Amino acid sequence: MWIQKSILLMLVVAVFRPSACIGGEFAVPDADVVQRFVDSHCIECHNDGSRAAGLSLDGLTATNVAPSADVWERVFRKLGRRQMPPLDSPRPNDEQYDLIIRELGARLDRVAEATPHPGRTETFRRLTRTEYAHAIRDLLSLEIDVEALLPVDESSHGFDNVTVGNLSPTLLNRYISAAEKISRMAVGGPMRSPGSYVIRLRPDMTQEEHVEGLPIGTRGGVLIEYTFPREGVYEIQARLMRDRDEHVEGLKQEHELEILLDRARVELFTLQPPNSNAEHAAADAHLNARIPVTAGPHVVGVTFVKQSSSLLETKRQPYDAHFNFYRHPRLSPAIYEVSITGPYDSHRAGQSPSRERIFLNSSASTDDEDQRAEEILSRLLRRAYRRTITPDDLQQPLQFYHAARTNGDFEQGIQAALSAILVNPHFLFRVERDPPGVPSGTVYNVSDFELASRLSFFLWSSLPDDELLDLADRGDLSRPDVLEAQVKRMLHDQRSQSLVTNFASQWLYLRNLESMTPDLRTFPDFDDNLRQAFQQETELFVESILREDRRVLDLIDADYTFLNERLAKHYEIPHVYGSRFRRVTLGNDEKRGGLLRQGSILMATSYATRTSPVLRGKWVLENLLGSPPPPPPDNVPPLEDNTVAADLPVRQRLAAHRANATCASCHNLIDPIGLALENFDAVGRWRDVEAGLPVDASGGLPDGTVCVGVEEIEQGLLKRPEVFVGTLVEKLLTYALGRGMESCDAPSVRQIIRDAEKANYRFSSLIVGIANSKSFQMRTTP
């Protein structure tokens, strides 16, 4: 044991005092000698890398790690990622590293077991915009356009559910307005005037081929999932894309446009080519259909009947993008926007899923309206507030019900009460209360109801369902066997899709794609179709890991991906046809597969005109290795592209970073990772040549592993799988708890990794481990 202690202390000192290494080998001195060395050289150590790293070794002792557990956790993290000692200092071999890490980790875990410290989540956490939309969906069976109702939430630690503790007066007004609109839609209340919903297509969307979900034999257009608030007549109007001269694009011959409701044609229009400015202005004036529609969710389609065409015989493959009038003009007319206005002539609410959820499950006699209202509101309140309901909880909604019922009918009273529920803090906020009379610093288990909310908002981004609430009410949910069974049930539920669309989209930067537009002079074949395909490929890929409960390491080295014809052409993968995405198994010589080979990641970490090894390296460090680089110093100006020749490869352009001593310390860690991905350009295409020269994809990882190309980067990441798995666990925990990771969470992360390793790192083993962890189940009083 004394040998392990000595090696550990000697390694830590060597990070800051390389001279402690004798002859390039790590000595194994007497433990007392090493301890005296640490005590006597701590001050000198501060003059070099330790101060820059923010580590202090004052009074540090390996015989009792408890008093300095925070510092030792940081040491453990750097050792695990082979970031200490520095690469230019003598370093232990892998066996010595593993020995030291195992011993230090065991000591830290014993301390954590004896004195648990699970950290503290905020007492009040407001529902994010996504959580709000999902909560309305599950509470009222109602899909809403939440982007039109609420503003974007700010992100912190990579996720938008962290800094959500406040509610400004402006935001409160938005919630009040949203509650009024949602309650009226859910109940189907009468409207003062017809409402209008407009969807506008992106101008860089090519509409020459079939759109998935629309009937075969059509091209372009849009598919809209829309909830019609009441039964009645609705007006659906389409407008066409125009150029800067207000001329309809691509309308050079007769075309047919059809409007569909639930895939059935309800109207067919003929478009004639205009011959004058006046005819251009009126070319789409007749694209207006008034149709009767029942209340509830329907799918509206607006598309063109596809005309037959012959294959162009050209020496070069034509571009797939057709949207820019001056570069790649549209070959056919395209939809600009679709509006749905109504209802007109509406005399009844009709029957919709939300009305069934609210009204049809009550058992009280229709003659006793007050009793029926109390039953309806009690049921809604239990789901909305995520706990057992008290008479005090019912008091305010019933007051709103009675006030509205006085001047209206029963349904108007329920609508008013529902509005009150949707603006109540118990719905808008997740509240976790400390036990009364407990001293500060006390560690305690959260209640079963709070555990139910933690689970549901983690896995579903939504409210707990009745099964979770029933178990919490009986006090059974916190039992390990019950909890594990519920986690697996929830993962199989379709609502766990939020782990893809909410968690993964933020972790992997997929949300950034919508705001990114590569330079069209450099990448003329890029359009919104490709942007959407990038995102759908990665979402389907991550979903396959979740649904098939695959090992999470497949995120790095999978031998399959999901493609449609447009994306397969971009990737130069043959024999994939049509707009439908399908799973494609890749051969050993294919250049696609895991996350680092997918266009979404590669474009999200590039600039508009070129790749960025810095952004790509930083992305890998943050999201795959869990070692985010520090922010650049304030006094270091950004690298200007116009200071170097524009035709030079990116590697040579970035040489200025590493030539500057101030920048080199970080860029020597960041740049090699990104440079190893240089075979992929800024829109994810494979290339062997850049600026007329062969691509140099040599690079490496922060642990000193030399890598050439993406395959060797992947091999380097998988060499120590616990690093990537640990990073993913930390990201999931941050998302689950709504707070950043702290050193006190490290023992929980290590336990999750150990348990997941026994299950071959399957996705469900990580989720079950998180649900069973002290960080997830416990809390500390302030």
Side-chain angles (χ1 to χ4, degrees):
M1 180 63 71
W2 71 270
I3 295 178
Q4 295 180 5
K5 296 177 182 176
S6 301
I7 293 175
L8 172 62
L9 284 172
M10 195 63 189
L11 177 59
V12 174
V13 173
V15 178
F16 308 110
R17 297 280 297 177
S19 59
C21 300
I22 303 174
E25 298 292 334
F26 279 83
V28 185
D30 178 80
D32 293 336
V33 174
V34 175
Q35 188 64 62
R36 286 197 300 270
F37 182 88
V38 173
D39 293 340
S40 62
H41 288 278
C42 278
I43 296 177
E44 294 182 37
C45 292
H46 291 170
N47 295 327
D48 53 23
S50 63
R51 180 170 295 279
L55 286 171
S56 172
L57 300 181
D58 290 334
L60 201 65
T61 172
T63 56
N64 182 15
V65 299
S68 305
D70 288 352
V71 178
W72 281 112
E73 286 289 2
R74 297 175 66 185
V75 170
F76 179 90
R77 188 179 187 88
K78 288 184 175 294
L79 292 174
R81 287 156 175 76
R82 307 298 195 262
Q83 293 180 335
M84 57 189 298
L87 295 178
D88 57 358
S89 302
R91 291 161 64 87
N93 57 35
D94 285 343
E95 184 178 353
Q96 292 170 319
Y97 263 123
D98 292 340
L99 177 69
I100 295 163
I101 291 169
R102 186 166 57 250
E103 174 64 21
L104 178 56
R107 296 185 183 192
L108 291 169
D109 291 342
R110 286 195 292 270
V111 170
E113 186 66 29
T115 56
H117 180 49
R120 179 176 176 81
T121 56
E122 293 291 337
T123 300
F124 295 94
R125 289 179 54 210
R126 176 177 50 80
L127 301 189
T128 67
R129 188 168 72 167
T130 300
E131 290 169 345
Y132 184 88
H134 291 178
I136 295 297
R137 176 199 66 196
D138 295 340
L139 178 66
L140 302 173
S141 294
L142 180 67
E143 298 284 353
I144 61 172
D145 181 14
V146 73
E147 295 181 5
L149 297 173
L150 298 175
V152 176
D153 298 294
E154 294 184 3
S155 292
S156 179
H157 298 282
F159 299 98
D160 62 7
N161 64 346
V162 176
T163 56
V164 286
N166 62 339
L167 183 62
S168 67
T170 302
L171 186 55
L172 176 59
N173 289 334
R174 296 287 293 271
Y175 276 115
I176 293 173
S177 176
E180 293 174 349
K181 294 177 181 178
I182 291 168
S183 59
R184 184 171 58 247
M185 285 183 62
V187 172
M191 304 170 66
R192 295 186 181 92
S193 61
S196 182
Y197 174 77
V198 178
I199 182 169
R200 187 166 294 171
L201 280 65
R202 289 186 64 112
D204 59 347
M205 177 180 175
T206 299
Q207 299 187 40
E208 305 298 335
E209 299 297 336
H210 177 255
V211 173
E212 188 173 6
L214 287 169
I216 299 297
T218 63
R219 64 150 190 93
V222 62
L223 203 63
I224 306 169
E225 295 181 356
Y226 181 69
T227 299
F228 291 81
R230 286 173 63 87
E231 206 171 271
V233 174
Y234 289 81
E235 181 178 79
I236 302 174
Q237 184 176 24
R239 285 182 55 80
L240 303 177
M241 288 279 187
R242 286 171 164 78
D243 60 25
R244 64 180 62 180
D245 297 323
E246 288 300 313
H247 289 179
V248 177
E249 295 180 307
L251 187 51
K252 298 179 175 60
Q253 60 184 14
E254 185 177 287
H255 288 267
E256 290 183 324
L257 179 144
E258 60 181 8
I259 295 177
L260 307 106
L261 184 68
D262 299 328
R263 292 184 61 87
R265 178 188 288 177
V266 294
E267 199 70 60
L268 179 67
F269 301 97
T270 301
L271 294 168
Q272 299 293 342
N275 297 314
S276 65
N277 289 339
E279 290 184 6
H280 274 286
D284 52 8
H286 64 297
L287 305 181
N288 192 334
R290 291 174 69 98
I291 57 175
V293 185
T294 58
H298 293 276
V299 179
V300 175
V302 180
T303 184
F304 296 93
V305 177
K306 186 173 178 60
Q307 297 180 342
S308 61
S309 59
S310 58
L311 183 65
L312 294 176
E313 295 186 9
T314 59
K315 292 183 178 180
R316 299 179 62 183
Q317 178 176 319
Y319 289 124
D320 290 302
H322 293 282
F323 63 87
N324 187 305
F325 178 76
Y326 294 97
R327 293 182 178 275
H328 311 294
R330 297 188 185 276
L331 306 179
S332 308
I335 302 297
Y336 168 63
E337 72 176 22
V338 176
S339 62
I340 302 173
T341 307
Y344 301 96
D345 303 325
S346 177
H347 304 293
R348 58 190 298 267
Q351 199 63 340
S352 65
S354 60
R355 285 180 57 83
E356 291 179 6
R357 174 67 63 89
I358 294 170
F359 295 113
L360 295 189
N361 290 330
S362 58
S363 58
S365 170
T366 55
D367 296 333
D368 189 347
E369 287 190 346
D370 288 353
Q371 182 180 347
R372 186 181 178 209
E374 186 171 333
E375 181 182 341
I376 290 172
L377 296 178
S378 296
R379 176 166 37 82
L380 291 175
L381 281 167
R382 184 174 186 260
R383 287 292 306 277
Y385 293 177
R386 287 91 72 182
R387 57 174 172 78
T388 301
I389 299 306
T390 66
D392 289 341
D393 294 320
L394 267 171
Q395 185 176 353
Q396 185 192 49
L398 283 175
Q399 288 176 350
F400 276 81
Y401 161 76
H402 288 298
R405 180 68 181 90
T406 302
N407 300 316
D409 59 17
F410 174 77
E411 293 187 359
Q412 288 175 312
I414 295 296
Q415 178 180 322
L418 180 56
S419 293
I421 293 173
L422 297 183
V423 294
N424 192 288
H426 292 290
F427 173 70
L428 292 179
F429 285 85
R430 294 168 56 189
V431 183
E432 294 185 346
R433 294 184 173 86
D434 296 313
V438 175
S440 176
T442 301
V443 175
Y444 67 93
N445 286 87
V446 299
S447 72
D448 274 36
F449 281 114
E450 291 166 346
L451 183 60
S453 284
R454 286 192 175 194
L455 271 179
S456 64
F457 282 101
F458 172 32
L459 300 181
W460 292 345
S461 297
S462 185
L463 310 172
D465 62 3
D466 287 330
E467 184 170 338
L468 279 175
L469 292 176
D470 290 342
L471 288 168
D473 199 17
R474 296 195 299 267
D476 291 337
L477 183 59
S478 54
R479 287 171 40 196
D481 57 331
V482 174
L483 184 65
E484 181 171 345
Q486 287 300 306
V487 168
K488 292 183 177 179
R489 174 184 75 87
M490 296 173 74
L491 285 175
H492 283 93
D493 192 285
Q494 186 58 35
R495 284 170 286 188
S496 64
Q497 181 72 11
S498 67
L499 284 172
V500 177
T501 58
N502 198 19
F503 165 72
S505 68
Q506 295 183 79
W507 169 44
L508 302 175
Y509 297 3
L510 300 185
R511 287 188 178 181
N512 298 355
L513 295 179
E514 187 176 355
S515 61
M516 300 190 70
T517 301
D519 180 72
L520 296 181
R521 291 182 176 85
T522 309
F523 306 104
D525 206 21
F526 184 87
D527 57 9
D528 185 59
N529 309 57
L530 194 56
R531 182 190 289 110
Q532 293 180 34
F534 281 165
Q535 180 162 345
Q536 192 164 354
E537 175 196 19
T538 303
E539 288 181 348
L540 289 170
F541 177 67
V542 175
E543 184 181 5
S544 72
I545 303 294
L546 164 65
R547 299 294 175 209
E548 300 168 24
D549 197 18
R550 301 177 67 91
R551 59 176 198 140
V552 296
L553 300 179
D554 286 352
L555 290 166
I556 302 297
D557 67 344
D559 62 352
Y560 67 93
T561 190
F562 293 83
L563 304 173
N564 66 356
E565 181 177 354
R566 179 76 171 87
L567 188 56
K569 280 185 179 180
H570 187 72
Y571 287 167
E572 298 183 343
I573 295 177
H575 313 308
V576 178
Y577 303 104
S579 61
R580 180 182 61 85
F581 271 81
R582 80 293 311 264
R583 184 174 182 147
V584 176
T585 301
L586 305 167
N588 295 330
D589 58 341
E590 297 287 358
K591 302 176 177 67
R592 304 295 163 175
L595 291 174
L596 291 177
R597 301 167 182 254
Q598 295 183 7
S600 59
I601 308 300
L602 296 164
M603 189 176 84
T605 53
S606 296
Y607 292 124
T609 57
R610 63 169 175 84
T611 60
S612 173
V614 177
L615 293 180
R616 288 179 176 177
K618 181 175 181 288
W619 187 91
V620 172
L621 287 171
E622 287 184 346
N623 295 293
L624 303 185
L625 292 174
S627 304
D634 295 334
N635 59 346
V636 177
L639 179 67
E640 299 291 343
D641 278 350
N642 59 10
T643 61
V644 294
D647 58 349
L648 289 177
V650 171
R651 177 183 294 271
Q652 297 181 31
R653 300 193 211 180
L654 293 180
H657 277 303
R658 295 183 296 279
N660 185 326
T662 307
C663 304
S665 60
C666 289
H667 280 278
N668 286 339
L669 295 176
I670 300 171
D671 294 359
I673 303 174
L675 290 170
L677 302 177
E678 274 298 285
N679 280 119
F680 298 102
D681 69 9
V683 293
R685 292 179 305 191
W686 182 268
R687 61 182 180 180
D688 293 307
V689 176
E690 181 194 9
L693 299 173
V695 170
D696 182 358
S698 58
L701 293 169
D703 63 1
T705 302
V706 176
C707 304
V708 179
V710 62
E711 185 173 355
E712 293 187 10
I713 285 286
E714 292 169 341
Q715 293 171 356
L717 293 172
L718 296 175
K719 182 180 178 181
R720 287 189 300 279
E722 69 278 0
V723 175
F724 167 67
V725 174
T727 301
L728 178 54
V729 168
E730 289 174 349
K731 295 292 183 180
L732 285 164
L733 262 176
T734 299
Y735 174 78
L737 299 175
R739 64 169 175 83
M741 288 292 93
E742 302 170 5
S743 59
C744 61
D745 297 306
S748 291
V749 172
R750 286 192 290 272
Q751 184 62 52
I752 295 168
I753 296 172
R754 287 194 294 268
D755 293 343
E757 184 180 12
K758 300 172 186 175
N760 197 25
Y761 298 119
R762 293 193 177 276
F763 185 83
S764 64
S765 66
L766 270 63
I767 303 300
V768 170
I770 289 172
N772 285 325
S773 68
K774 290 182 172 63
S775 295
F776 191 81
Q777 294 195 11
M778 305 179 78
R779 195 164 178 255
T780 307
T781 57

